[in-house]
């Protein structure tokens, strides 16, 4: 949004309220409910998931590259680490039927992603301070976010080891190798 960088435009306002860290007031997608930190994590029965309905081309491409690196065509089925795509983008797995899974904090999504060791948390865009529910929902559900997005995401994390920053790896193959290592 170029207007948010236009000084002449911004002079029209007394207060700027955005996700950007230099705003007068900032908002966060981090839930404020204290009980989220007391919610027990469900058992992990699956490897990784991606829930996305906005099929932004660069995100889809990144997920496809990681999926190919995790489960190459030549891999034995037992050695394949599957990414279940549960949203409209790259859908290859079914969302659980109503009643099949008990909601966590009133959310079926949290209950579903809580069954996975990893959740691909790829933002729609990269911008300072733009850290959305894609990062926080897996943490709440007890799944490790594999994050791509805001370059300053570390400032939003409780601990550097609480997530995997996809930007720390030179390729999808390196990221896949790291996830496989963590899985073992």
């Amino acid at each position: 949004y170029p207007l948010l960088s236009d000084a002449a435009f911004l002079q029209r306002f007394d207060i700027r309220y955005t996700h950007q860290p230099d705003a007068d007031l900032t908002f966060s997608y981090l839930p404020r409910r204290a009980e989220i930190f007391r919610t027990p994590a469900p058992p992990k029965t699956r490897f990784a998931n991606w829930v996305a309905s906005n099929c932004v081309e660069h995100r889809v491409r990144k997920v496809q590259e990681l999926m190919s690196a995790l489960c190459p065509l030549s891999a034995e089925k037992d050695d394949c680490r599957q990414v279940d795509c549960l949203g409209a983008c790259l859908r290859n797995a079914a969302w659980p039927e109503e009643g099949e899974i008990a909601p966590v904090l009133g959310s079926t999504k949290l209950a579903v992603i809580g069954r996975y060791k990893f959740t691909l948390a790829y933002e729609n865009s990269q911008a300072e301070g733009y850290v959305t529910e894609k990062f926080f929902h897996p943490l709440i559900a007890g799944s490790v976010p594999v994050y791509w997005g805001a370059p300053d995401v570390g400032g939003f994390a409780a601990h550097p080891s609480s997530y995997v920053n996809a930007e720390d790896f030179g390729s999808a193959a390196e990221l896949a190798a790291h996830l496989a290592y963590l899985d073992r």
Side-chain angles (χ1 to χ4, degrees):
Y1 299 97
L3 284 177
L4 293 178
S5 299
D6 182 346
F9 174 76
L10 292 175
Q11 285 180 346
R12 300 177 184 180
F13 303 96
D14 295 324
I15 296 173
R16 201 168 110 242
Y17 178 55
T18 73
H19 69 275
Q20 296 172 319
D22 64 339
D24 300 305
L25 297 171
T26 59
F27 67 86
S28 170
Y29 285 88
L30 176 63
R32 298 179 192 270
R33 295 170 51 182
E35 65 268 19
I36 64 175
F37 300 106
R38 294 192 301 264
T39 304
K44 306 299 173 233
T45 58
R46 305 286 297 167
F47 178 69
N49 77 87
W50 185 46
V51 180
S53 296
N54 184 1
C55 303
V56 179
E57 183 180 338
H58 63 270
R59 283 196 313 169
V60 170
R61 187 176 59 254
K62 286 182 174 300
V63 171
Q64 286 173 320
E65 289 170 359
L66 180 58
M67 289 171 69
S68 293
L70 285 166
C71 190
L73 293 176
S74 61
E76 293 293 322
K77 195 162 190 119
D78 293 340
D79 192 38
C80 180
R81 288 177 170 81
Q82 176 73 34
V83 175
D84 291 345
C85 299
L86 300 162
C89 305
L90 302 177
R91 186 179 201 99
N92 65 2
W95 193 261
E97 296 292 325
E98 191 171 328
E100 186 179 329
I101 190 164
V104 171
L105 298 174
S107 170
T108 302
K109 179 185 176 188
L110 293 180
V112 170
I113 65 177
R115 299 187 303 179
Y116 291 85
K117 295 174 184 178
F118 302 100
T119 296
L120 303 187
Y122 288 22
E123 300 286 10
N124 295 332
S125 60
Q126 287 184 308
E128 292 283 328
Y130 186 68
V131 180
T132 70
E133 78 287 347
K134 292 171 188 68
F135 179 70
F136 298 112
H137 281 175
L139 292 171
I140 293 165
S143 180
V144 176
V146 178
Y147 186 79
W148 178 88
D152 59 342
V153 67
F156 294 84
H159 190 275
S161 298
S162 64
Y163 71 104
V164 174
N165 191 343
E167 287 291 304
D168 290 345
F169 300 89
S171 68
E174 288 179 20
L175 175 57
H178 182 69
L179 295 177
Y181 164 77
L182 294 176
D183 186 32
R184 286 190 299 275

